Amino acid sequence: MTKGSEISRRQFVGSAISAATLASLPLGDLALSGEGKLVSSSASSKGSEWKNQGVLNLVKSPYAKLRNVPVHAVTVTSGFWAARRQTNVEKSIPSMEKLLQANGRMDNFLRLAGQSDAPQRGPVFSDSDVYKWTEAAGFALQSADLPELRTVADKIIKEVVAVQEPSGYLNTYYVGDRAKDRMTPEVQRWGHELYNLGHLLQGAIAYYRATGDSTLLDAGIRFVDSFLLPNFGPGPDKKPIFSGHPEIELALIELYRTTGDKRHLELAGYILQGDDRIKVPHRGYVYHFCGIPFTSRTHLEGHAVRAMYACCGATDYYLETGDQAYWKTLNTLWDDLVNRQMYVTGGVGARSDGEAFGDAYELPNFTAYGESCAAIGNMMWNWRMLAATGDAKYADVIERALYNGIDSGMSLDGTLYCYRNPLGFDPSTGDHIRNPWYDVTCCPPNLERTFASLPGYFYSTSSEGLYLHLYDNSVLDWHLE
């Protein structure tokens, strides 16, 4: 809709604000203690650094043109998003916690601690439901002091970390008789171990940035540093990795931005490159959107959420490395997205079969899948492309997806959710497009974490001034670079 060289309603407003109006706050470095815990490496940053990071911590990302503004620096006042966000905090997040409990998600952890005799329930990726909920809680706590939510989240985090094994491994599905299958090639393909870990890391980082409590983050770091890095990666002395469901890539890079440990960035780069020691049929490389060099991709295909998360991780990798092969591929895929694969709503993924992209221009209305998670992935990817360039065309896609393909995913009362979001729907069939619970419940907490983090998407800063991306009643209390 707009081009960077044109004057539009997204017009750059930094020239109107003097860089001298507010002084920059010091941001120190973080480091790992000998026990693998996150600590401040400079006295000046102690007590402030952890809470001044945005949705992404791009302060030191050399190829990011824009820097994120912390969620807490933006107050969304009375208006469209204020009402949605209030419902999210007062009804959606609390009711989802009760549903997670009722459907055995926490029993899966409590059983391993000897506090429940309930059997394992839910799919192999059930742990991620808890981690996404924790991320939603973390972002909500970045905006407001919510003692009851903090108490519930602290309790859940303690129950999660209590079952981490001495090796660092933490997964409630691959235990007991299934422990022998951990990180085998077939389980890497379908078992979502690294997907779960990715969401653990994202939830832990959001909670750390809200509270300064690194309990869950320390557990995630131990999983990566004590279990993954010594045993998996390139080289004949280590086992190969196949991402299976991209998510770990973007999470590892955000972990790198938080810890400064370059091994986390390098592991993400290795996973994005693929390892041909794990071979799958060609349809597997299509569906999983991983396993071969990301830079060999020429169009979007396969599972839409996997593809969007892979593009997020690849953009994060570019923001840290400046690898031009990645940038060329990302632009090729983005062109395919907006010109041949995206609905007018910003939804992506035309086919229910495989929750997948279709052929070019295959965008049916009544049979459209448009999974809520895929629209969120679209927004997340464009947020990263926007950070790399400051180009308004990425903000336009964010707005399109947010107000249409994402907002449609949650009912006005905040208790019913769309898994799929077709553009045409006939209620006379008796089908219920919105439901309170899905056994594959990836979308509800994904929507909740998105609405909770939304203030962090309104503005960015650069060396030139201030960028405004979303329009609603809001107050920004932050500084220029």
Side-chain angles (χ1 to χ4, degrees), residues 2 6 55 60 62 73 86 107 168 171 189 203 219 222 274 297 320 330 371 379 390 405 415 431 433 437 450 465:
T2 59
E6 297 175 346
V55 174
K60 295 184 178 180
Q86 182 177 358
D107 281 333
N171 187 298
R189 185 176 173 188
R222 282 196 295 275
R297 301 280 179 180
E320 302 306 322
L330 288 163
E371 185 182 345
M379 176 179 168
T415 63
D431 189 12
I433 192 68
W437 175 259
T450 301

Side-chain angles (χ1 to χ4, degrees), residues 10 81 334 342 345-346 375 378-387 391-406 454 457-458 469-470:
R10 296 194 182 282
W81 284 116
W334 190 86
M342 186 174 71
T345 61
N378 186 13
M379 176 179 168
M380 290 166 53
W381 179 25
N382 276 275
W383 181 241
R384 289 158 168 81
M385 296 292 281
L386 177 62
D391 194 320
K393 66 183 182 182
Y394 302 114
D396 288 332
V397 177
I398 290 170
E399 184 180 69
R400 181 183 294 269
L402 175 63
Y403 278 88
N404 300 281
I406 296 171
L454 198 55
Y457 289 89
F458 272 59
H469 309 307
L470 295 175

Side-chain angles (χ1 to χ4, degrees), residues 63-97:
Y63 296 91
K65 180 174 182 178
L66 306 186
R67 313 297 178 192
N68 284 196
V69 167
V71 171
H72 72 75
V74 180
T75 302
V76 180
T77 58
S78 180
F80 181 83
W81 284 116
R84 292 296 264 159
R85 283 172 34 77
Q86 182 177 358
T87 299
N88 187 44
V89 169
E90 293 181 354
K91 298 187 73 173
S92 304
I93 294 174
S95 64
M96 182 52 53
E97 186 270 333

Side-chain angles (χ1 to χ4, degrees), residues 89 93 137 139-152:
V89 169
I93 294 174
F139 279 122
L141 289 167
Q142 288 181 39
S143 283
D145 182 21
L146 303 166
E148 291 184 13
L149 180 60
R150 173 76 188 269
T151 298
V152 172

